Amino acid sequence: MSGTPTVTEQAKPPSVARASGSMAIATIVSRASGLLSKLMLITIIGAGMLNDSYQAATTLPTMINELLLGGVLTSVAIPLLVRAEKEDGDGGESYAQWLITMSAVLLGVGTLVAVACAPLLTSLFTGSSSQANPALVTAFAYLVLPGIVFYGLSALLGAILNTRHVFGLPTWAPVLNNVVVILTLVVYWLVPGEITLDPVRMGEPKLLILGLGTMLGVGVQAAVMLPAMKRTGFRWRWRWGWDRRLAEFGGLAFWVLLYVALGFVSMAVLTRVALNSVGALTAYNYQWLVAQVPYGVLGVSLLTALMPKMSRAAASDDVPALVGDLSFGNRMSSIMLMPFSALLTVAGLPIGLAIFSHGESGLAGGERMGMALALSAFGLVPYAITLLQLRVFYALKDARTPTLIQGIIVAVRVVLLYAFLEFAPNEKLAVGVSIAMSLSFVVGCLVGQLWLRIRLGRLRTGYTAWTICLTVVASAIGFAVAAGAAWLAVRLLGTEGPVATAFVELVVLTVVGLPSSFALLAVFRVPEVKPVVDKIIRLVRRR
């Protein structure tokens, strides 16, 4: 297209270090602001049926977006976008226009169908549970389901900006979403009245504020991308038709969509089971949010760094290099995340009481979340390793095997969920749901390792297992010392009340336990820790 600036003219690639640093900071701020919004939510509306209904409804837009666009976006659209940038005379602009057009139509139609079928979706997720309020879930669903369009376009525009070497804004955009939600909760708190549960009235101000404010946050997250698109030189126009290149990726897209569909089924079953106990769904979602913080900051960075290396090794049929990267990734996942897993296990209850027991939540809500976190934190490392294993298959251009592994994980998870529903006490269902999720990742980790062993040959599993054992021992000793220090601190300070005691325990466990665990890894001479130790020694010597 004549006169259209190419990608090279639009933006010069920033340094990897600068882009990575900006994204890391944005990720930390995003996690922190997201945690703050969740803390405000549970403080203001509690951890009972109202929050459970809100959690069930707000899950729907993200899952439907994944079914409509999310899986295809990552497996089909983005590789084609990069290819069009290199091959097309206009730097891929016409393809990006076509992609936005088709996605907007798909998301728009999907949103209309989802809104029309809101009562059916509510029935699918809530089932016949006596603890759920289907009318309230449906009311929230009507308000938040239009966010499907914004979720999809936000991800798509962010991906287009990434191909044009704009990394900061797409990573910071979720922070604006969190800010809008925080402001929404402030307005909700200031407005007088309550949301009635029997009957549910769609026009109630507080119901409208909470639902529409949640959707508005996602809308802002998408809208903030538009000025950045314009600054890159992108010119918008509707573009219709079919791109011939998509036919090459049909098989890959099928397996990825099936993978996403299995995840949808898993979340539907989990939601139905959790809604059999008041507060269980909220407790599960909150403990999952906390457990994802160390993975989001550390695990995702590792995965992002390793994925290009594994892809190049796979493209070159360099199996030893691919196995080396996988083994290194498994060991580093354990080294970086096992101490945090131990922290969440030992400090789970203090976290729940110190952070999530305020306001309408109360001690019971905080304790429920803390116990769910403490007894399911063992799944953090298997979760990270499973995702890394699946990326190896994708690097090998194999989307079928990850879907089959996902099928096994979901099958195990569903069986465990219904087993906990049948045999666990109702008040412990939040713990059961969380444990079922973690156990399914343990199974997925073992199945993935076995499958890769068959596919690639020897995987240095013994070396990896030894490293994992060392991290377990170091974390256990480090947090045993931290637990003793926390007990002593509580006695010396003479704290009164469960919340104050929990706060002191949380601070001491974190300050003592994490450094002790990583220091013991250095004492055990774990090879991957040596470069960090050497750097610290050099800094000390300079001073």
Side-chain angles (χ1 to χ4, degrees), residues 136-462:
L136 185 57
V137 177
T138 302
F140 275 128
Y142 279 128
L143 298 173
V144 301
L145 280 171
I148 294 170
V149 174
F150 302 129
Y151 275 115
L153 290 179
S154 173
L156 178 58
L157 295 178
I160 294 174
L161 285 172
N162 285 166
T163 63
R164 292 166 175 252
H165 315 300
V166 179
F167 299 99
L169 183 61
T171 317
W172 282 99
V175 176
L176 296 178
N177 183 354
N178 294 331
V179 170
V180 172
V181 172
I182 290 170
L183 294 175
T184 296
L185 290 170
V186 172
V187 174
Y188 176 94
W189 179 63
L190 292 175
V191 170
E194 299 293 337
I195 296 178
T196 56
L197 302 180
D198 187 19
V200 174
R201 299 185 180 91
M202 193 68 195
E204 283 188 335
K206 285 207 165 187
L207 177 64
L208 295 175
I209 289 169
L210 192 54
L212 293 177
T214 300
M215 185 189 68
L216 177 63
V218 188
V220 170
Q221 180 177 325
V224 75
M225 308 279 188
L226 297 177
M229 291 283 292
K230 187 175 182 181
R231 284 196 298 270
T232 66
F234 180 81
R235 296 188 298 179
W236 163 246
R237 56 166 290 191
W238 293 99
R239 189 173 292 275
W240 307 97
W242 178 259
D243 192 285
R244 55 180 175 76
R245 288 170 288 202
L246 279 180
E248 303 174 25
F249 292 85
L252 177 64
F254 167 77
W255 287 108
V256 173
L257 285 174
L258 183 56
Y259 180 100
V260 174
L262 288 168
F264 185 92
V265 170
S266 168
M267 284 307 301
V269 173
L270 187 148
T271 304
R272 287 174 69 103
V273 169
L275 286 175
N276 282 273
S277 174
V278 171
L281 181 61
T282 299
Y284 164 76
N285 282 340
Y286 276 59
Q287 70 83 19
W288 180 252
L289 175 71
V290 174
Q292 283 294 291
V293 171
Y295 176 76
V297 176
L298 299 174
V300 171
S301 300
L302 176 65
L303 199 63
T304 302
L306 282 178
M307 192 60 198
K309 292 185 64 180
M310 293 192 300
S311 298
R312 285 192 293 269
S316 305
D317 292 323
D318 190 349
V319 173
L322 182 60
V323 169
D325 291 335
L326 171 63
S327 177
F328 176 77
N330 287 341
R331 297 194 307 275
M332 286 303 298
S333 295
S334 180
I335 291 167
M336 291 192 302
L337 297 177
M338 190 68 75
F340 286 95
S341 179
L343 171 64
L344 298 178
T345 300
V346 177
L349 189 55
I351 289 172
L353 292 174
I355 300 177
F356 296 115
S357 64
H358 304 282
E360 294 296 322
S361 173
L363 292 176
E367 184 177 353
R368 186 163 51 238
M369 275 168 258
M371 290 301 297
L373 178 61
L375 295 178
S376 63
F378 67 88
L380 180 60
V381 174
Y383 170 74
I385 291 177
T386 299
L387 292 186
L388 180 62
Q389 291 167 341
L390 297 184
R391 293 306 190 279
V392 174
F393 288 108
Y394 285 126
L396 293 167
K397 297 182 180 179
D398 177 6
R400 175 176 173 270
T401 303
T403 303
L404 296 177
I405 294 175
Q406 169 82 326
I408 295 172
I409 293 173
V410 170
V412 170
R413 186 178 300 158
V414 168
V415 170
L416 290 172
L417 285 168
Y418 280 114
F420 279 112
L421 177 62
E422 181 68 25
F423 299 110
N426 186 266
E427 65 274 11
K428 302 296 183 184
L429 192 56
V431 174
V433 168
S434 302
I435 291 175
M437 180 66 76
S438 291
L439 284 175
S440 68
F441 287 125
V442 173
V443 172
C445 174
L446 296 174
V447 170
Q449 192 74 4
L450 178 61
W451 214 310
L452 284 168
R453 173 68 173 82
I454 296 171
R455 180 76 173 268
L456 299 176
R458 296 178 63 86
L459 299 177
R460 306 177 189 174
T461 303

Side-chain angles (χ1 to χ4, degrees), residues 37-54:
S37 69
K38 295 297 184 184
L39 175 59
M40 290 180 61
L41 179 67
I42 198 170
T43 300
I44 292 171
I45 73 173
M49 184 178 291
L50 176 57
N51 205 336
D52 278 349
S53 301
Y54 175 80

Side-chain angles (χ1 to χ4, degrees), residues 1 4 90 93-102 104 229 234-241:
M1 186 180 296
T4 301
D90 61 355
E93 182 170 278
S94 60
Y95 175 74
Q97 293 169 343
W98 174 87
L99 189 59
I100 295 173
T101 301
M102 294 298 106
M229 291 283 292
F234 180 81
R235 296 188 298 179
W236 163 246
R237 56 166 290 191
W238 293 99
R239 189 173 292 275
W240 307 97

